[in-house]
Amino acid sequence: MSRLHIIDHPMVQHKLSIMRDVRTGSKDFRELLKEISLLMGYEITRDLPLENVEIETPMKHMTARVISGKKLAIVPILRAGLGMVDGLLTLLPVAKVGHIGLYRDETTHEPVSYYCKMPFDIDQRMVIVTDPMLATGGSSSDAITMLKNMGCTNIRLMCLVAAPEGVKRVQKDHPDVDIYVAALDEELNSDAYILPGLGDAGDRIFGTK
Ligand code: PRP
Ligand code: URA
């Protein structure tokens, strides 16, 4: 069973509460999402392997520790997942970025795929899939399936707010994929929006409503 990690650090919780507030506009929403993504990235990379290298400090020789050549990729689910890329890239500047375009059909709430572009060696990379909202879980689950079909074997999912339904769906479909969230909310409404949630993440990031 994949593990659910809830990042309950006070700074993450504080920033998320401002994002949830209906009075918060797109500029602040975007900035806060970037900041939270960096902070969550710190946890998501906590277990990256280290190796020893020999260096000279200005004082003496030492054996120092560096990340051991682990290749990473960040894969946002368009559109809203884009809002989490810059924060992660600040932390992981050499990561490659792939894109998966999915939108939810308004009636069926099923994801519809419209774009996919990956680094050529995606199957050799640890992949962090980003999407602020894990609602029914259909979009994240489909994105992970697409990556597995391309040969990826090491995938983590990073969301901001999750509904229990979405967590259950991803855990059932992808028991090998750990999920990182800042909050596990109460439920979905009849339009499959998360309650209390933060509304439509894509619209709030890009000001399209
Ligand atoms: C939203 C959100 C997720 C998806 C979550 O995207 O960004 O991708 O819905 O819902 P699910 O877990 O039920 O699949 P949306 O379809 O609104 O597209 P957008 O990001 O382009 O606005
Ligand atoms: N997509 C969003 O942007 N928000 C939700 O609450 C559910 C799906």
Side-chain angles (χ1 to χ4, degrees), residues 40-131:
M40 289 185 72
Y42 190 74
E43 285 300 324
I44 216 167
T45 54
R46 177 178 282 284
D47 61 350
L48 286 186
L50 293 167
E51 64 186 14
N52 291 339
V53 291
E54 304 301 315
I55 62 167
E56 302 291 330
T57 79
M59 308 303 289
K60 67 172 290 205
H61 181 90
M62 77 170 282
T63 303
R65 299 201 301 162
V66 296
I67 305 279
S68 75
K70 191 89 194 163
K71 289 170 136 193
L72 290 160
I74 303 163
V75 176
I77 301 177
L78 308 182
R79 293 174 300 163
L82 284 174
M84 302 179 95
V85 174
D86 280 355
L88 281 179
L89 278 177
T90 304
L91 194 66
L92 309 164
V94 298
K96 296 263 198 282
V97 182
H99 295 86
I100 291 179
L102 293 173
Y103 71 86
R104 255 183 10 164
D105 181 276
E106 282 183 11
T107 318
T108 65
H109 308 138
E110 290 295 321
V112 181
S113 164
Y114 61 89
Y115 188 73
C116 183
K117 181 85 179 174
M118 289 298 144
F120 75 96
D121 57 353
I122 189 70
D123 56 327
Q124 291 156 45
R125 293 177 177 270
M126 181 185 121
V127 180
I128 303 174
V129 176
T130 66
D131 193 331

Side-chain angles (χ1 to χ4, degrees), residues 79-80 104 131-136 139 161 163 185 187-189 191-204:
R79 293 174 300 163
R104 255 183 10 164
D131 193 331
M133 309 310 281
L134 183 62
T136 66
S139 304
V161 179
D185 274 12
E187 57 182 345
L188 297 178
N189 72 7
D191 290 326
Y193 272 77
I194 300 174
L195 297 177
L198 47 73
D200 188 303
D203 284 345
R204 294 197 66 186

